[in-house]
Amino acid sequence: MRFETDCIHGGYHPDSTGSVTTPIYLSTAFAHPGVKQSTGYDYIRSQNPTREQLEKTMALLEQGCDALAFSSGMAAISCVLELFKPGDHIIYSADLYGGSIRIFNEISQKNGLSFTALDTGDLHAVKEAIQKNTRAIYVETPSNPTMQITDIKSICELAHKYHILVIVDNTFLTPYFQKPLTLGADIVVHSGTKYLAGHNDVLAGFLVTAHKEQAERLHFLHKTIGACLSPFDCWVVSRGLKTLPLRMDRHAASALRIAKWLSKQPAIRKIYYPGIASSPRYEINTKQTTGFGGMISFEVDTEETAVNLLQRVKLILFAESLGGTESLITFPLLQTHCDVPKEECFAKGINEKLLRLSVGLENVNDLIADLKQALA
């Protein structure tokens, strides 16, 4: 079946009740038919029918062998980091979501992991950074917030020569626009809070793996750590997935129009949007994606302009998230990357003039009008 159909059905077939949507199984425990017998469900932390259906759908959409649903995107990242042991080394995209950098620096390093941050779009730099103890390359493409592009297929080919895992955060584009596992990646990470659920009303995270052995280990860690997604939240995300293709097409179409409009405004100094042909590594990005997504970052002329814009927007909301039906604008330096040292932020272009816009589903002309009056 095609992607749009999988988003709606995901392999689900109505049970004996005829329910056309996956039921919400709230039970924390499941009765055993007998000694050493199971229905396949024992305790909610191990598995739950509602969660299982969502995980099957996510595995199907990302074309992986298995998926796991977590209580947040950070819980998913925390779990995948448990695949590694003290002394292991990980290379990651320097321009990465601030929460990911925070967990690397504040949690994983004290647990004995070491990290090298660099432009993962620079294959030579990545190769030079590989050490004998390098176990993974962690990529976000497009990156958050400056939309840097990494050639996933080339990174995977390089990494696998050295038996190194490739982990890709696919939150910005979702499997509708980009499928890292089909390009050679081993594990995909999602903040399901964002585009997958799509309505700014639930916290969720996912891991999708290409390998059965990894899936078994991740399921063990998932059960042991216990940060599994609740049945109700699984149902909410499943409902959101049904409209994912429609929403992503609208997000992307509106974002491209807004990015082109912004590029003509006197107060705008720089645009970060992968859909503009002049964007760095545009050709690479078009080869590995089928759309550019709904995220735009842009730098204005002064800090005063940035602050004024945030205070003047009326329809667009000044809030720290992305991927929902409502358009949200964020000040990365003070929000998503507040725990990253300022000198590191400035080196990446994350400064007091940079803003990040998550383009929602409102009429694009209304969004442009709001930006126009805020910049006036």
Side-chain angles (χ1 to χ4, degrees):
M1 292 188 293
R2 291 172 173 78
F3 190 91
E4 293 85 351
T5 305
D6 287 334
C7 283
I8 294 171
H9 294 281
Y12 172 72
H13 299 286
D15 59 16
S16 59
T17 68
S19 174
V20 297
T21 62
T22 305
I24 304 173
Y25 291 86
L26 295 176
S27 180
T28 58
F30 300 85
H32 299 285
V35 177
K36 295 185 178 180
Q37 296 180 28
S38 173
T39 62
Y41 308 101
D42 302 310
Y43 184 63
I44 191 171
R45 183 158 35 83
S46 299
Q47 193 49 285
N48 170 277
T50 312
R51 190 171 86 233
E52 183 179 47
Q53 183 58 44
L54 173 60
E55 291 173 342
K56 285 181 178 179
T57 302
M58 280 303 302
L60 191 63
L61 297 181
E62 281 285 8
Q63 297 185 24
C65 80
D66 208 346
L68 301 93
F70 292 82
S71 55
S72 70
M74 293 312 303
I77 294 171
S78 296
C79 184
V80 81
L81 289 170
E82 291 301 321
L83 291 174
F84 309 104
K85 63 182 186 301
D88 287 349
H89 172 249
I90 296 173
I91 296 168
Y92 70 87
S93 303
D95 182 42
L96 196 66
Y97 166 57
S100 302
I101 296 173
R102 180 173 58 228
I103 197 170
F104 294 167
N105 291 343
E106 301 298 330
I107 306 297
S108 298
Q109 284 194 28
K110 76 174 179 60
N111 292 339
L113 301 184
S114 61
F115 296 86
T116 297
L118 47 76
D119 175 8
T120 48
D122 184 342
L123 286 175
H124 178 74
V126 174
K127 185 175 182 180
E128 290 295 306
I130 293 175
Q131 305 172 12
K132 290 182 178 179
N133 60 334
T134 302
R135 298 292 177 262
I137 300 175
Y138 190 105
V139 171
E140 186 176 41
T141 180
S143 66
N144 184 359
T146 62
M147 312 297 165
Q148 302 301 306
I149 302 300
T150 295
D151 185 333
I152 298 174
K153 185 177 181 181
S154 295
I155 277 287
C156 292
E157 290 173 350
L158 173 64
H160 292 160
K161 287 180 181 178
Y162 297 90
H163 307 289
I164 294 170
L165 295 177
V166 176
I167 303 165
V168 179
D169 187 327
N170 200 29
T171 297
F172 271 17
L173 292 186
T174 82
Y176 183 60
F177 283 148
Q178 180 171 263
K179 295 181 176 63
L181 298 183
T182 67
L183 297 169
D186 301 288
I187 298 172
V188 167
V189 176
H190 281 282
S191 171
T193 310
K194 312 305 193 296
Y195 288 109
L196 296 178
H199 292 76
N200 289 323
D201 58 5
V202 66
L203 191 65
F206 293 94
L207 294 178
V208 187
T209 177
H211 310 293
K212 184 177 179 181
E213 184 177 333
Q214 278 178 358
E216 292 174 354
R217 179 59 179 166
L218 288 169
H219 274 290
F220 173 80
L221 293 169
H222 192 207
K223 175 182 70 174
T224 302
I225 296 169
C228 52
L229 192 61
S230 75
F232 181 77
D233 288 346
C234 287
W235 182 85
V236 173
V237 177
S238 294
R239 182 180 61 175
L241 283 176
K242 294 176 189 291
T243 59
L244 177 65
L246 297 171
R247 290 185 286 103
M248 293 306 294
D249 282 339
R250 178 65 172 268
H251 288 304
S254 295
L256 181 58
R257 275 197 59 189
I258 292 171
K260 289 180 177 179
W261 179 85
L262 284 169
S263 67
K264 299 175 182 178
Q265 305 313 304
I268 306 301
R269 293 291 180 263
K270 189 178 292 186
I271 301 285
Y272 299 94
Y273 184 66
I276 296 177
S278 59
S279 298
R281 300 172 187 152
Y282 176 83
E283 295 297 330
I284 291 171
N285 192 52
T286 55
K287 288 180 181 178
Q288 66 187 19
T289 66
T290 56
F292 303 112
M295 298 302 300
I296 306 169
S297 291
F298 58 95
E299 185 177 308
V300 297
D301 52 2
T302 66
E303 182 177 3
E304 181 182 11
T305 299
V307 171
N308 286 339
L309 189 151
L310 293 173
Q311 292 175 336
R312 290 175 180 172
V313 285
K314 299 175 181 178
L315 179 62
I316 300 168
L317 304 175
F318 177 21
E320 185 178 349
S321 192
L322 61 98
T325 52
E326 298 83 7
S327 292
L328 305 179
I329 193 164
T330 300
F331 202 165
L333 187 67
L334 301 181
Q335 293 179 293
T336 59
H337 288 67
C338 63
D339 292 324
V340 178
K342 280 194 174 181
E343 58 272 18
E344 289 185 28
C345 287
F346 290 157
K348 301 171 189 176
I350 305 170
N351 55 41
E352 68 281 353
K353 297 178 288 184
L354 184 75
L355 301 175
R356 190 193 72 185
L357 175 64
S358 173
V359 179
L361 302 183
E362 302 93 344
N363 186 285
V364 66
N365 295 312
D366 291 334
L367 295 174
I368 290 173
D370 193 29
L371 289 168
K372 185 177 182 179
Q373 65 83 25
L375 286 167

